[in-house]
Amino acid sequence: MTLDKTYRIALAGNPNTGKSTLFNALTGLKQHTGNWAGKTVGMAQGRVNYKKSDYLLIDLPGTYSLYSKSTDEEVARNYIVFEKPHVSLVILDATSLERNLNLALQVIEMTSNVIVCVNLIDEAKKRGIEIDEQRLMRELGVPVLKISARNRTGFTALLDTIDRMISGEISTSPLAIKYNNEIEDKIKLLEPNVKKLVGDRFPTRWITLRLLDGDTSLLDEIQK
């Protein structure tokens, strides 16, 4: 079979959400490990073929946020913003959904090509936890799928959703998080200057928010 093209898929998630279990199950033996350039943080990449496409999966470091307060967070943040994967998968633990959603909201602020995977759905069911993925999808404005990585449940639907997002069959309308009036006023004031600096290359509202939070390391990365 001749493959049309290779697409990069980033996997993001809190530690212990089953992110690497999903990565290993999808890629099997078609993976290799190393370090991120200039970092001692481990990097795993692997491939999975679906229909006529070749997907290169990148297992980002497990983090609780993308605020660049640790090397792991910086690596994960920089890959999503600067390397611009075709799709970012955010893996959530169905048994700790509220805590995990924080990272999903951060990724949604950075890119619109997001698919949320609610993993460990079998464990949640045992505990009597019901996940309304349709409501989550409406609230977040991106596809939400329930999976069990260890039981390989939901993989076909996941790969099909990735395929349809890349082909343009699925469009997203990510939740636009509104902050208090003081922050929104500052965003309006600063964002035009950010846009002059970075143009359309990067998400200007998200960069503005990070600058307002004092994340000056982001400017260093942009100017590289």
Side-chain angles (χ1 to χ4, degrees):
M1 178 175 68
T2 301
L3 301 176
D4 290 343
K5 188 177 178 182
T6 296
Y7 299 97
R8 290 174 296 111
I9 314 297
L11 277 67
N14 290 178
N16 303 315
T17 57
K19 177 172 63 64
S20 294
T21 302
L22 175 63
F23 172 83
N24 290 331
L26 286 173
T27 60
L29 298 177
K30 293 178 285 186
Q31 57 180 269
H32 70 272
T33 58
N35 284 336
W36 294 91
K39 310 288 183 184
T40 56
V41 177
M43 173 182 69
Q45 296 186 351
R47 295 181 181 278
V48 58
N49 300 328
Y50 184 71
K51 294 185 177 176
K52 289 188 177 182
S53 295
D54 174 42
Y55 297 118
L56 177 63
L57 272 59
I58 301 97
D59 190 15
L60 299 177
T63 63
Y64 291 103
S65 81
L66 297 172
Y67 290 150
S68 187
K69 293 178 179 175
S70 71
T71 303
D72 285 358
E73 291 178 3
E74 183 179 327
V75 165
R77 178 202 71 180
N78 287 355
Y79 191 83
I80 293 173
V81 172
F82 299 118
E83 300 300 325
K84 300 179 180 177
H86 295 90
V87 173
S88 293
L89 298 183
V90 184
I91 319 304
L92 310 183
D93 178 349
T95 67
S96 301
L97 201 56
E98 185 174 352
R99 183 184 66 183
N100 282 215
L101 275 170
N102 181 45
L103 184 71
L105 292 172
Q106 290 178 38
V107 175
I108 285 172
E109 282 193 314
M110 298 159 69
T111 173
S112 59
N113 295 332
V114 178
I115 297 172
V116 171
C117 297
V118 182
N119 189 31
L120 297 169
I121 198 67
D122 50 338
E123 187 62 30
K125 190 174 181 180
K126 289 179 186 174
R127 301 184 190 185
I129 300 172
E130 293 292 333
I131 305 295
D132 187 345
E133 76 272 29
Q134 294 299 319
R135 180 178 177 186
L136 272 175
M137 190 157 54
R138 290 194 298 272
E139 296 283 347
L140 298 176
V142 300
V144 176
L145 299 168
K146 294 194 289 191
I147 67 168
S148 171
R150 62 187 175 191
N151 292 327
R152 307 179 69 88
T153 301
F155 282 15
T156 301
L158 173 59
L159 291 170
D160 194 57
T161 302
I162 293 172
D163 180 68
R164 292 168 61 206
M165 178 172 281
I166 287 175
S167 68
E169 289 182 44
I170 294 177
S171 59
T172 61
S173 181
L175 172 68
I177 299 171
K178 293 293 182 185
Y179 297 89
N180 64 42
N181 290 339
E182 181 183 0
I183 293 176
E184 289 293 340
D185 287 344
K186 288 180 179 178
I187 292 172
K188 286 179 183 175
L189 193 65
L190 184 58
E191 188 174 3
N193 293 318
V194 172
K195 192 170 183 61
K196 286 180 185 176
L197 179 66
V198 304
D200 295 323
R201 292 180 297 156
F202 305 115
T204 54
R205 179 180 170 87
W206 178 80
I207 290 175
T208 303
L209 281 164
R210 300 312 313 134
L211 294 178
L212 289 173
D213 197 39
D215 186 356
T216 54
S217 69
L218 187 61
L219 284 179
D220 296 334
E221 294 291 339
I222 291 172
Q223 291 170 347
K224 282 181 180 177

